[in-house]
Amino acid sequence: MADNLQSSIVRDFRQTLLWPIQLMTEQHQGRAVEHPWQLLKAAPNTPWTEIQDEFLQHSPHLSETRYQEFVTFLPFAQRFLYGEGKHGREAGGYGESPIHIFTRNDISLVRITLQDDIEPLMLRVSHVELYFFFDIDVAMLAFEVTGKDLPLHAAMEVMYRLGRTYPNYWDDTGEGGHCAKRIEWLDAHGQVIARSDYEDKQRYLAYVKENHVPCVSLHWLALLQPLVPHYSDQAGDLRYREIEYQRMPLMAYLSFDDVRQLSRGDLIRLGLVCQPWNSDTLPFTEQFLQDFEKHNCYDRYWDESRQDAWSSTRIMCTGQNFVVVGSQQHRVFTNEKTGIKRHYQNQYFLLFLIAHFQKAALLMLSDRMVQAISRLDIQSEDSVKNFRHRIRNATAVFLRFTHRYWFETVSDQAVAKDLFALMLRQLDSVSLFEKTRRRIMDMAEYLEGEEIKRQADTVVRLTVVTILGLIGTMTTGLLGMNLIDLTQSSLLEKLGYFSIVFIPVSLLTFYTVIKSRRLSLFLDALSNEGAGLGYKLVKLKNVWIGRLDER
C-alpha cells in the first residue's frame, strides 16, 4: 500500500450513521399505534429519554448556533424542523415540531477490532439519537463517533465497516464480509454493553430461512431496544423492519494537516466509502470515474490549481454518503462557530436527515401499497373492505406527507440549496416521489371506479324495480276507484284485504330485486328497436334460465 494510508493522519475524525427503519404500527393491544414515541416514553427501564429542544417555551435562551441553523432554512422547512411556536399553536397551525427526538447516554465508547493482529480502535460516541416523525411510520437512528489523530487507513476502515447491520457473506476464515471482526459498545467505565456477532453464520442463515428478511447484528439490536425487529420472537410494543440496504447512510468529516497530500484515488475512495488501498490507484476504472468530480463533488471551497491556500475543502456526496475533507489550519474549515465543521454538525446534518427521511417515507408508503395488494382476495368481501381501508389510509398519509414533509428545496442560502439539490439528485428522490404518487393515485382511481360501478349497478337495480313496480302501483291504484267498496267493512276485513295485496306485492318486489340484473338486460333488449322478436324472447327467457350476460 502507498505510504499515504499510514503517513496521512486524520487530526479530527467524525462519522455519523443514519439508519432509517420502518415502524410496524398497525396494531398494538387491538388498536392502531398513532404516536409510537409515547410508547417509548412509557416503556419500563428504557435507556431513551426525550430531548427537550431549545425552541420549547420553558427553555430560557436560544443559542447563537441554533439561531444560525434556524435561519438557514426557508419558512416551510422551519415549520417542519422547529414548529410554529406559541402563536402557531394558538392559530391552530403546526404547533410544536412534528419531530420527536430521543437520546441515550449509557454508551460512551466504541471498540472496533478490524483484525486479530491489529490493536482495536477506540472511538468516542458523540451522540445517539432516535428521531420520530408525526403521522409517518419511519424512525431514524443517528449514531455519531469521533476520534483524534487516526491514520487514514484506520479512518477509511471505520467508515467502510462500522455501519453494517448484517454481513453480505462470510470469507474463508468465517468472518462476515465487509464487516469489522468485532464491534463493542462500552459504557463510561469500559464495560461491554453489547457486541457484534457477524461471525455467527448459522444465526443469520436460520433467521432468513424462517422469516425471509435479513437478520440484524446483536449490537445494533441492543442499541435500539426496547424497539424489536418485526419478525423476531422478542416481546415488544414497538416493532420495526429495515427499509434500505444493509450499509447505513453516513456522513463523515476528516481534517488533515494538508489535505492536498491526498491523491485522487484517496479522495474518491473517501467519497465512495471504499476499502483503503494503494493511493496511486483508483478503486474502479478511469472510464467509470471520469465524471466523478462533476457529478459527486461540490467544489465551492476547492481549488484544483492549488493557488489559494484557503480553498482546500472538498464536499463529496454520492447518495448514501456525504463526506467533507479539508485542512485543519484554515478557519473556513475548522472554525467551531461559523466554519465548515459547525455547518457539518448542524445545517448539513439536517439537510442529510431531511433528504433520507423523505426517501425512507416514500419507500415506506410503497411498501404499504405492496402489502395491501398482497393481502387482497377479491373473492372475500372482508378482504376487499380491508383493501379499500388500507388504500384510503395510504392515500391520506401520502397527501399529508406531500404538504408537510416534501420539499425539493429547503433553503435559499447558496451552499445549503446546492447541497440539498445534490442529495436529492443522487438519491433520485424526485423520481421516486413521482412513481409513488402515480401508484397511489392509480389505486385511488381504481377505488373510485369501483365505487362508481357499484353505485351505477345499484341505480340500475332500483330503476328496474321502479319500472316493474309501476305495474303493481297501477294495479293497486284501481282499488281506490270504488271497484271494491270497503267503507262499510270491519277493521278485520280491511286488514285482510290489505294483507292480500301487501304480501304478494312484497314478494314480487323482493323477487324483482333478485332478478333485477337479468331484468335490466331484458329491458335493454326490449327498448332496442333494431332487435328482432326472437332476440327479445331469448333475453326474456334468460331472466329465469340461461347464463347471465355481463355488460
Side-chain angles (χ1 to χ4, degrees), residues 125-164:
V125 176
S126 178
H127 61 81
V128 184
E129 294 172 350
L130 190 59
Y131 290 75
F132 293 92
F133 302 85
F134 178 76
D135 205 31
I136 299 293
D137 292 337
V138 167
M140 310 284 282
L141 174 70
F143 181 82
E144 183 178 67
V145 296
T146 63
K148 298 289 186 181
D149 299 330
L150 298 179
L152 176 59
H153 176 273
M156 294 176 74
E157 287 282 8
V158 171
M159 291 172 61
Y160 185 72
R161 300 182 186 277
L162 178 60
R164 306 276 180 173

Side-chain angles (χ1 to χ4, degrees), residues 463-477:
T463 302
V464 170
V465 173
T466 302
I467 292 173
L468 297 180
L470 287 174
I471 300 173
T473 301
M474 294 177 66
T475 302
T476 54

